[in-house]
Amino acid sequence: MSEIRKHYFLDEYCIIASGRSKRPSAPKACDEGRRSSECFFCHGNEMKTPPATAVYKDGDVLRDNDDQRVSGWDVRCFPNLFPALSPDAKDISSSDHGVMKGYGFHEVIVESPDHEDRLHLFDDERLLLLMRVYRDRTLYYQAKDGIEYVSLFKNWGKKAGASLEHTHSQLIATPLMPPSLLKEMRAMSILERCPYCDIVEKEKDKERLVYENHDFIVIAPFCSKVPYELWILPREHISHISGFNDDMLLSLGKCLGAVISDLDRTIPELAYNYMLFQIEDPDYHFNIRIQPVTSIAAGFEKNTDIYINPVPPELAVEHLLNGSRSLHLRE
Ligand SMILES: [Zn+2]
Ligand SMILES: [Zn+2]
């Protein structure tokens, strides 16, 4: 039996086709990754990357020199060697409609010096550090001239677009606000109250709740586009990561660690993307969307932008909470 479900407040639809439901299987996520001796992101190989713009070490934030690198680091941020956008982009002479110079910044955030490390195994101290790094780096690039949006995301597993297996996140600062966020803001502007606050209110006691703590809830959204999609939402109406104090950053890190651990236990050879959605506009409501990659968008999705999801979110939650360490209402 299929069901066409509408997004909470956008004109977007998905098809929940539970008749096709199977536990997901994905190809081995990192089977062709480089070994640690060859990995540019491993400690000891710092000279193989550009100088770091920020190195987090023992509570300090340092920078590399051109010919010297900081060793013994906890988290290391440096420009992507093959950037999607660059601060040195040349002016475009063409007056063709729709052409802009590719100005912006593209940074890699290596979350651990250790090649074998996994985000869902981080302790609280390291989860908090990573969330602080997310906050610092977002604010750093948000303040740059000509930057309209900072996209922060993580690709885990080859199938999710990660070319290296060493755990890392990326940040791309763009000179334009993404149309998808403008569309959301337009839809939100005609509503009487924030629709995300409504989602928190509606879903906090429902069968789509996966995890909660004092500051955040994690849900499998009613309109999940892909199997095991999860959204992290602050209970309070806060639009941007700069609005979180350290207690909240730790709560946020705990959410990520807990639900990625759940996904890892549930989905064989897990691959996923997660993305931070945030705007420095008091009307917006910060959220993180985690989308496991268990299949690829095909002709129907590209034709209609309607996603067929074979795992109803309510069933996904059952699977996720079914493990030996049920996380429901933990803490
Ligand atoms: Zn490595
Ligand atoms: Zn809100």
Side-chain angles (χ1 to χ4, degrees):
M1 285 290 271
S2 291
E3 224 176 88
I4 300 175
R5 291 190 181 183
K6 187 175 181 294
H7 184 278
Y8 292 102
F9 64 95
L10 296 172
D11 279 330
E12 288 181 5
Y13 296 86
C14 67
I15 298 176
I16 303 293
S18 50
R20 298 153 66 101
S21 178
K22 288 270 183 297
R23 285 297 190 102
S25 63
K28 210 168 175 353
C30 300
D31 48 359
E32 288 162 40
R34 287 162 180 268
R35 283 188 310 261
S36 58
S37 60
E38 301 164 347
C39 170
F40 295 171
F41 294 177
C42 274
H43 65 96
N45 291 346
E46 291 85 3
M47 284 308 284
K48 293 180 178 170
T49 72
T53 32
V55 187
Y56 291 77
K57 177 179 176 175
D58 302 333
D60 289 327
V61 189
L62 310 166
R63 284 178 82 101
D64 282 339
N65 296 325
D66 277 348
D67 52 357
Q68 234 181 349
R69 301 288 189 266
V70 176
S71 60
W73 45 274
D74 302 307
V75 174
R76 189 164 182 267
C77 311
F78 51 86
N80 193 309
L81 256 182
F82 308 102
L85 295 172
S86 154
D88 312 319
K90 300 275 181 301
D91 275 326
I92 303 268
S93 54
S94 160
S95 59
D96 282 354
H97 173 71
V99 181
M100 281 168 84
K101 65 176 179 176
Y103 168 78
F105 299 86
H106 190 167
E107 181 166 284
V108 176
I109 298 170
V110 179
E111 299 152 10
S112 165
D114 177 1
H115 194 79
E116 303 299 330
D117 221 346
R118 298 294 175 259
L119 191 145
H120 67 273
L121 303 177
F122 282 17
D123 62 15
D124 286 358
E125 194 185 339
R126 298 181 60 212
L127 288 169
L128 172 60
L129 173 62
L130 183 60
M131 295 306 109
R132 275 187 184 146
V133 173
Y134 283 180
R135 181 178 61 186
D136 292 357
R137 303 315 287 161
T138 304
L139 287 172
Y140 178 77
Y141 285 107
Q142 200 99 60
K144 295 270 188 196
D145 272 352
I147 291 303
E148 287 291 323
Y149 186 71
V150 176
S151 168
L152 214 169
F153 57 94
K154 178 178 172 72
N155 303 331
W156 175 254
K158 247 182 132 43
K159 210 179 171 197
S163 49
L164 288 166
E165 70 172 3
H166 193 126
T167 190
H168 67 284
S169 306
Q170 296 181 65
L171 177 158
I172 299 182
T174 70
L176 49 86
M177 182 61 84
S180 55
L181 275 165
L182 288 174
K183 179 178 147 190
E184 255 193 70
M185 288 299 283
R186 268 198 304 274
M188 291 171 77
S189 70
I190 56 167
L191 299 170
E192 268 176 29
R193 8 178 300 127
C194 165
Y196 286 104
C197 285
D198 283 344
I199 295 170
V200 171
E201 195 51 42
K202 260 188 239 155
E203 299 286 22
K204 69 177 197 257
D205 307 314
K206 288 267 175 63
E207 74 265 45
R208 287 180 289 275
L209 181 67
V210 179
Y211 177 83
E212 65 177 339
N213 58 31
H214 185 260
D215 301 306
F216 294 87
I217 67 169
V218 187
I219 59 163
F222 174 74
C223 50
S224 296
K225 282 186 173 177
V226 299
Y228 300 90
E229 177 169 350
L230 299 174
W231 293 3
I232 303 177
L233 294 161
R235 292 177 189 274
E236 217 183 307
H237 181 86
I238 295 176
S239 55
H240 194 266
I241 196 167
S242 56
F244 299 157
N245 60 26
D246 274 1
D247 282 349
M248 292 191 77
L249 286 177
L250 175 59
S251 291
L252 180 62
K254 282 181 171 183
C255 285
L256 264 180
V259 299
I260 287 174
S261 169
D262 277 357
L263 290 167
D264 185 70
R265 207 179 46 240
T266 308
I267 303 177
E269 307 298 344
L270 175 67
Y272 63 84
N273 308 108
Y274 69 63
M275 298 73 69
L276 277 66
F277 289 78
Q278 52 181 342
I279 308 178
E280 279 184 308
D281 178 320
D283 288 341
Y284 197 64
H285 193 124
F286 175 96
N287 63 92
I288 295 182
R289 300 175 205 165
I290 306 169
Q291 293 188 330
V293 180
T294 57
S295 62
I296 52 165
F300 179 71
E301 283 82 1
K302 290 179 181 175
N303 188 211
T304 60
D305 204 27
I306 297 172
Y307 281 70
I308 302 173
N309 174 2
V311 183
E314 298 76 16
L315 182 64
V317 173
E318 264 180 46
H319 289 168
L320 290 172
L321 299 181
N322 232 347
S324 51
R325 295 178 300 133
S326 170
L327 294 165
H328 204 237
L329 308 184
R330 195 166 71 182
E331 108 164 22

